[in-house]
Amino acid sequence: MKFAIEHADFVFCNEDEADAYGKAHGVESTSREDIAKAILNAPKKNHRRQRHVIITQGSQPVIVATKNSEGQDITEHVELDKIPKDKIVDTNGAGDSFVGAFYAGNLAKLCAADSAAMHLNEHLACFELGNLYLVKDEWRVEFNQNGSFGFQGV
């Protein structure tokens, strides 16, 4: 894992994985914000791009850790709209879906926190309505009911 993180610009993990990382790497605090900052500041091979750490916590806010323009660590808590329990069929693949929606937001040039906030609303709309289209500047992102998505220049 240490080798992979050295090369990662984006690190995604859930609350259990974050807690395990903290224990395994001697992070003194059990605060997930502190664990996110530890991952953020882990050695990185490519310093031309900053690292972003995103920790999902089930129905709790997503933690997004980045550095500001002065190089200081910042963490944000991103509140997500909750999907009603009667709409949840299966949570298998929820993390993968989150990462896919996050990267779609990133490709649309959204900041990390806005990309994280995109997930649940878009996933729910996709589930209920079939196709969902996100348009940002010159890109169109299409999420299909079968879970696939595509990009087109507009």
Side-chain angles (χ1 to χ4, degrees):
M1 179 142 174
K2 179 183 171 188
F3 176 77
I5 287 179
E6 287 181 350
H7 298 277
D9 295 335
F10 293 89
V11 177
F12 294 88
C13 56
N14 64 35
E15 68 271 29
D16 295 332
E17 294 163 337
D19 294 346
Y21 179 93
K23 265 188 187 174
H25 291 87
V27 178
E28 290 183 25
S29 171
T30 58
S31 157
R32 292 199 184 111
E33 292 81 9
D34 291 339
I35 294 169
K37 289 177 184 178
I39 297 169
L40 183 68
N41 291 300
K44 189 169 188 310
K45 294 287 186 183
N46 181 351
H47 298 284
R48 290 178 289 161
R49 293 185 302 266
Q50 82 169 302
R51 179 178 291 147
H52 306 273
V53 179
I54 300 92
I55 300 175
T56 61
Q57 305 183 101
S59 63
Q60 300 303 307
V62 174
I63 298 169
V64 178
T66 58
K67 292 192 178 285
N68 65 17
S69 58
E70 288 83 39
Q72 299 168 319
D73 299 347
I74 56 170
T75 57
E76 296 180 68
H77 289 249
V78 181
E79 292 282 342
L80 302 175
D81 293 337
K82 293 182 180 163
I83 296 175
K85 287 187 179 188
D86 65 325
K87 298 284 184 191
I88 298 173
V89 178
D90 185 356
T91 59
N92 190 30
D96 295 334
S97 173
F98 177 89
V99 172
F102 181 95
Y103 277 125
N106 187 261
L107 285 170
K109 303 200 186 312
L110 298 179
C111 71
D114 287 343
S115 292
M118 226 177 80
H119 170 66
L120 285 181
N121 288 334
E122 271 59 85
H123 183 67
L124 181 61
C126 179
F127 176 75
E128 291 183 338
L129 303 175
N131 291 343
L132 169 75
Y133 301 96
L134 298 173
V135 178
K136 174 74 174 164
D137 299 327
E138 70 277 2
W139 287 98
R140 172 177 157 160
V141 183
E142 178 181 345
F143 293 87
N144 298 306
Q145 194 168 10
N146 66 6
S148 65
F149 63 94
F151 302 96
Q152 295 178 299
V154 174

